[in-house]
Amino acid sequence: MGVFRNENAAARSFRDTQQQEKCFKNSGLQGYILDYSVTRREGRPTMGSSADRRVIGFGTTLRRDAWWVELLPVIAVLSAFGIYATFRAFEGKFYAWGPYLSPFYSPLIDPQHHWWRFSPALLILAGPLGFRATCYYYRKAYYRAFFLHPPACAVSEGGRGAYGGETRFPFILQNLHRWFLYLALVFLAVLWWDAIRAFFFQDGFGIGVGSLVLLTNIILLTLYTFSCHSLRHLAGGKLDCFSCTKFGPPRHTAWSWLSRLNERHMLFAWVSLFSVGLADLYVRMVSAGLLKDIRLL
């Protein structure tokens, strides 16, 4: 049996180098190297170093491009989605029509309000929200867009004191991402069941526009979930030798496929965000009588 060795460290180092080179190329910093003399104790530039002289305030950069433009769509989309999702979570109606159930309300718990007086969505949205909020990609996106921490690649965020990372509240809760992944897999199974049920009407099997909308949504959500960094790590990212562990070859195959998905994690993060919002909007409009569902079969 051949030895499958996990070259994660080397691969990550290579990718990081590529990203740094791309960042410097796009920002017009080719051939320019800042001499960062950093103290071991405080982790700050030494007095008199080039870093101390040049990186002096918020937004200081040698980039010649409009680096702040890339923040605008992130702010716009995440803000719009947050406002719409909050409205829908508290609305508590127009979440089902025929075989269609909004993904914002699935699984549907106590719709008759026997013991829960408020919107059923409030009982379940913490799971999907927690998974996205702690997602590695989304953390990068909203740290930059909303916290300006940092604003962009090769752009100074000014003096903020010692770097604490995600070791303090509330950011230490980001470490719950893997547990939210397990919960997301449960939600994924439920949403697949909802998508299948969307093809069965009162008169039997059929295909409506809503059926295709919910099916497209769950496919994109599946791609987003299975491209997750944590899932890739669980499959084999922590192994140095696949042949030296139990179920090594199958885990190597799974890790390889998940790695391919992981390369497009950012794409899946955005398209699945749009799909879940549009799927809920479609069900709401049909349920409220604002739109008529078209039967294709």
Side-chain angles (χ1 to χ4, degrees), residues 20-32:
Q20 292 172 3
E21 291 177 351
K22 181 179 180 180
C23 173
F24 278 95
K25 182 178 180 180
N26 293 340
S27 58
L29 297 178
Q30 308 96 304
Y32 192 92

Side-chain angles (χ1 to χ4, degrees), residues 1-6 234-237 239-256:
M1 180 183 296
V3 177
F4 297 98
R5 294 203 174 274
N6 189 344
L234 286 173
L239 299 178
D240 292 324
C241 177
F242 285 96
S243 297
C244 307
T245 188
K246 198 172 184 179
F247 305 111
R251 292 185 67 177
H252 178 266
T253 301
W255 172 80
S256 298

Side-chain angles (χ1 to χ4, degrees), residues 165-176:
E166 295 175 335
T167 60
R168 301 173 184 173
F169 183 83
F171 299 109
I172 195 172
L173 298 178
Q174 304 284 25
N175 294 303
L176 296 176

Side-chain angles (χ1 to χ4, degrees), residues 265-284:
H265 188 55
M266 180 181 73
L267 173 63
F268 297 142
W270 284 116
V271 295
S272 65
L273 187 73
F274 279 102
S275 73
V276 72
L278 292 175
D280 172 80
L281 179 62
Y282 183 85
V283 174
R284 186 192 186 282

Side-chain angles (χ1 to χ4, degrees), residues 97-100 197-207 295 297:
W97 182 88
Y100 305 155
R197 285 180 56 242
F199 287 87
F200 292 89
F201 297 80
Q202 288 186 347
D203 56 351
F205 179 83
I207 301 177
R295 284 287 296 271
L297 179 65

Side-chain angles (χ1 to χ4, degrees), residues 173-228:
L173 298 178
Q174 304 284 25
N175 294 303
L176 296 176
H177 180 61
R178 179 168 296 180
W179 299 101
F180 279 117
L181 168 64
Y182 300 148
L183 190 57
L185 293 174
V186 175
F187 276 88
L188 211 60
V190 174
L191 291 175
W192 267 108
W193 173 249
D194 291 339
I196 295 173
R197 285 180 56 242
F199 287 87
F200 292 89
F201 297 80
Q202 288 186 347
D203 56 351
F205 179 83
I207 301 177
V209 172
S211 308
L212 301 180
V213 168
L214 293 178
L215 178 62
T216 301
N217 175 58
I218 187 55
I219 290 175
L220 293 176
L221 287 176
T222 300
L223 291 173
Y224 168 60
T225 305
F226 277 77
S227 65
C228 172

